Structures are given as structure tokens and as C-alpha cells.
């Protein structure tokens, strides 16, 4: 847990010698607490004090990477229980279970289905991240063949699932370059699993049915020299799982309980696809770092990816698009000019409706600090003056041969003043984006 300035001050030498560049040790401690200076600036801090300060500076939940390079998945390193307290940093990885009972053709088909679960929403790419490869048959050759097929046919990150270290090792032989997550060390096999994790430098899941047993297991795995751990509490109903996940997160953040300072993994249980979606969504919100599912229908997965995108954005910074002129379709100098704000959801809703109207148009986006039309207007961020300045700033007059702009129906009140400020003719558009296609088609009739 992060130390306060006063707690840090008590650890410093308190001689106020000023060598760190600050007038007092307290001033230095305050800057250290705010993470604005390095501890190295104080040459007199004792080895004991340094160790206490450095361990306090460690993240309460360790960041774990699965895979390598740009495609790697990073989970953990969260700092708050509730998104509004700050933000959540590393989006829950969404993945799918594939078993070695399936034929090679079936696996390739499944990977093809997973590849299609890649969508664009409000200007961002949202997609799934991982596949969990399960050795159901207990046949090492079949398991290795499954892993090989997956390695050769997808860039998704990999989790190897087997209860015997010997089986996991066969999978590792053909996937070590991908640095897979190993599932799972238990009370029975932790020594062999820890050996694999260290030898192949891969992260390892610690799985135990109760929190008490999980604490003991994590300590044993750490004693074997494994640092990159992911936590799991076995096969349980969703309510019990949520309880475990919440306790793990609370203990890690509020009590700085080191054995639980790791990300978590959950496998969904529901056979019904709709229930599975709601189960996965529940784990996503509280507080799973990796969710492995069975179903992979787009209708199941898109809501989960959408929810994840919303939850893992900064609540204090609305998603924004760049303020500029956008062209939709093959515009000419006679194309209409629509004005809107730079809140992503607003912009992409407008863009989609303009596109569906088949009327090529310019969209002039004003900087409203990421607020939607009505909110920005109420906050004085979308005014006649600011719109007039945007019209001038981006030189729309050089792109069109008319002097007409269309403003959203909800801010019709701005039309008179905007005409005065800008010298352009203002047409009031529809209040709802859904009205844009009909509006544009009838514009010049
Ligand atoms: Fe205090 Fe260290 Fe700064 Fe000197 S260098 S004022 S001892 S914090």
C-alpha cells in the first residue's frame, strides 16, 4: 500500500540537510509520496529505510504478462476497488476454452470463428485475447498436436491447461516462444509446476478451493522461486466466485496482503449461452483479470467486449475524437457541413447515420472537452462563439462553395447568435441522430 508523505518522512533521516534539493525532509517526503522525485536524491537514507520505501512502492497487484511483444496480454496492476476512485488500468482478458478431444479441422474452424470476434467501436478496436488449451484426453501427443495447431494458426495468447506437469511440458515444447500461462499449480503438483514455470520463464496459475489454501499455496510457490502468479479458486458457482474475487481484490488493495497481490483467472460454467454471457460480464465487473469462456457466438461476445471497453476507460476523460473536419463519402464543394462535438460516441453515431444516408457530407467537430452536445452546451463548451471559432480555424470555407452549416436540433437556440458570430447561414438539424438520413436526403429538395 502506498505510504503517505508523513509516513515516508518518519523513515527519512530528518536532518533537513537540503542535499536532495528540498528545504526540508518533509518537503522531500511529500514529493516522494506524490511520485514526483526519486528516492535516490537523498544520499542519507539507510538501507533499511530504502527497503521499506521500495517495498511500499511496489504495486499492490502485480502486473503479469502472458505472451511476448506487441500482442502480449498484460493483467493486474490495479490500484482501486471502484472505477470512480481513479480508473481500472488493464482490461480483463477474454478467452476461449479449446479441448484436445476436437479434431484439427474443428480447432481450425474454432480459431476462424474467434478471429472474427474483432470489432471496431467508437474508433477503437475491441477483440478477444487468449485461448485456453485443455488436455482432456490425458494423451500427451494429442495435447501437443492441439497446441501446435493453435500456435501455427493464431497470434492469440495461450494458456496450457492440464493437471500433470508432464502434460504441460509437452505443450510447452511447442509453445515456449509464446510464453504461455500455465494452468495450474495445486497443493499436489506445485513443485513440478513451479519448476516448469521457472525453466520456461512463464507465468503460473495457483489454484486452490479456499482462500486459506490459496494463501498457503502461493507462499509455497513463491518459496520455489516463482514470482509471476495468477490466482484461481477452483470450480464454483458464480456467487461463490464473486465472493472469492472480491475478497482477493479487497485484501490486496486494502490490507496490502501480498499472497493475494496477483491477477485472477476464472472459467465460466453456464451451458446456456445467454447465461454464460451474463456470468462472464459479472466476473468482468468483479474483479476477474482473465475470463475463459466456452461460447464464441458474436452475439455473446460483443456485449462483453463493449462492457469491457466502457469499464476500462478513464471515467474522468471521456473518449474523444480529434477536433477537425471529417469527410464522409466522396464529398464535393456542394456537400453539406454538419457540426457536432468531439465526444466519441456522439461523433461515431453521427458518422454512421451520415454514412447510411448516402449523402456525402463534411462533419465539423468542435472541441467540447469530450462532452456530448447537450452536456457541452449546458457547460458552456459548445457555444455560438466556440463554433464560430472552429468554423474559422479549420478553414471549411475553402472546402465548400456555400456558406451553410447544420447544427444539432438540441442546440437550435444557438442558431441566431451563430449566424451573427460566423456570418454563415445556420440550419437546425434533427434532435436525434436517427433523423439525419431523412434530413440530409430532403435538404435540397
Ligand atoms: Fe532530508 Fe535526505 Fe533531503 Fe537531506 S537529502 S534534506 S536528509 S531528505
Amino acid at each position: 500500500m502506498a505510504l503517505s508523505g508523513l509516513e515516508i518522512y518518519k523513515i527519512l533521516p530528518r536532518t533537513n540537510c537540503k542535499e536532495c534539493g528540498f528545504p526540508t525532509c518533509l518537503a522531500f517526503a511529500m514529493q516522494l509520496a506524490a511520485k514526483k522525485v526519486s528516492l535516490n536524491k537523498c544520499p542519507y537514507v539507510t538501507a533499511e529505510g530504502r527497503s521499506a520505501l521500495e517495498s511500499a512502492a511496489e504495486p499492490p497487484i502485480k502486473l503479469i504478462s502472458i505472451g511476448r511483444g506487441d500482442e502480449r496480454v498484460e493483467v493486474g496492476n490495479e490500484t482501486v476497488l471502484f472505477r470512480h476512485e481513479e480508473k481500472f488500468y488493464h482490461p480483463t482478458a477474454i478467452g476461449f476454452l479449446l479441448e484436445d478431444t476436437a479434431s484439427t479441422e474443428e480447432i481450425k474452424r474454432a480459431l476462424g470463428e474467434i478471429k472474427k470476434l474483432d470489432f471496431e467501436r467508437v474508433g477503437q478496436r475491441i477483440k478477444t485475447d487468449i485461448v485456453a488449451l485443455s488436455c482432456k484426453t490425458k494423451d500427451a501427443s494429442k495435447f501437443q498436436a492441439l497446441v501446435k495447431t493453435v500456435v501455427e494458426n493464431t497470434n492469440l495468447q495461450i494458456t496450457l491447461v492440464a493437471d500433470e506437469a508432464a502434460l504441460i511440458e509437452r505443450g510447452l515444447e511447442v509453445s515456449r516462444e509464446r510464453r504461455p500461462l500455465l494452468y495450474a499449480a495445486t497443493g499436489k503438483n506445485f513443485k513440478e509446476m513451479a519448476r516448469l514455470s521457472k525453466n520456461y520463464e512463464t507465468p503460473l496459475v495457483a489454484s486452490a478451493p479456499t482462500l486459506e489454501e490459496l494463501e498457503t499455496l502461493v507462499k509455497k510457490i513463491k518459496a520455489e522461486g516463482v514470482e509471476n502468479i495468477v490466482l484461481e479458486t477452483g470450480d464454483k458457482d458464480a456467487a461463490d466466485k464473486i465472493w472469492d474475487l472480491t475478497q482477493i481484490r479487497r485484501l490486496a488493495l486494502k490490507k496490502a496482503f501480498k499472497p493475494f497481490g496477483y491477477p485472477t483467472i476464472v472459467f465460466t460454467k453456464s451451458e446456456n449461452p445467454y447465461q454464460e454471457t451474463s456470468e462472464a460480464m459479472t466476473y468482468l465487473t468483479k474483479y476477474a483479470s482473465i475470463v475463459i469462456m466456452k461460447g464464441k457466438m458474436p452475439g455473446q461476445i460483443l456485449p462483453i467486449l463493449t462492457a469491457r471497453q466502457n469499464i476500462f476507460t478513464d471515467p474522468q476523460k471521456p473518449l474523444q475524437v480529434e477536433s477537425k473536419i471529417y469527410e464522409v463519402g466522396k464529398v464535393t464543394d456542394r456537400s453539406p457541413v454538419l457540426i457536432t462535438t468531439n465526444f466519441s460516441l456522439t461523433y461515431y453515431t453521427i458518422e454512421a447515420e451520415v454514412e447510411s444516408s448516402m449523402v456525402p457530407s463534411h462533419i465539423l467537430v468542435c472541441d467540447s472537452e469530450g462532452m456530448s452536445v447537450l452536456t457541452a452546451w449546458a457547460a458552456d463548451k459548445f457555444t455560438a462563439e466556440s463554433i464560430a471559432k472552429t468554423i474559422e480555424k479549420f478553414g471549411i470555407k475553402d472546402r465548400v462553395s456555400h456558406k451553410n452549416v447544420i447544427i444539432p436540433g438540441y442546440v437550435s437556440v444557438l442558431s441566431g447568435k451563430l449566424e451573427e458570430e460566423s456570418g454563415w447561414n445556420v440550419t437546425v438539424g434533427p434532435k436525434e441522430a436517427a433523423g439525419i438520413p431523412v434530413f440530409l436526403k430532403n435538404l435540397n429538395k
Side-chain angles (χ1 to χ4, degrees), residues 4 241 329 355:
S4 68
K241 207 58 154 170
E355 213 173 324

Side-chain angles (χ1 to χ4, degrees), residues 345-376:
L345 200 54
T346 300
Y347 170 75
Y348 284 104
T349 309
I350 303 286
E351 187 208 41
E353 295 296 345
V354 171
E355 213 173 324
S356 75
S357 76
M358 311 288 278
V359 179
S361 305
H362 302 278
I363 304 178
L364 179 56
V365 171
C366 301
D367 183 357
S368 62
E369 298 179 13
M371 292 181 209
S372 61
V373 169
L374 265 184
T375 314

Side-chain angles (χ1 to χ4, degrees), residues 42-94:
C42 173
Y44 303 113
V45 66
T46 61
E48 201 179 31
R50 181 175 293 279
S51 143
L53 288 172
E54 279 172 353
S55 77
E58 278 177 16
I61 298 176
K62 192 174 167 74
L63 181 70
I64 300 292
S65 293
I66 305 163
R68 299 181 199 276
D70 292 345
E71 296 287 325
R72 74 184 181 281
V73 169
E74 292 188 326
V75 287
N77 204 11
E78 300 301 339
T79 54
V80 290
L81 270 176
F82 304 106
R83 178 177 174 262
H84 62 262
E85 292 174 333
E86 190 180 325
K87 69 173 198 170
F88 294 153
Y89 286 90
H90 290 93
T92 301
I94 307 295

Side-chain angles (χ1 to χ4, degrees), residues 425-437:
N425 302 315
V426 175
T427 304
V428 175
K431 284 186 172 173
E432 302 296 339
I436 287 176

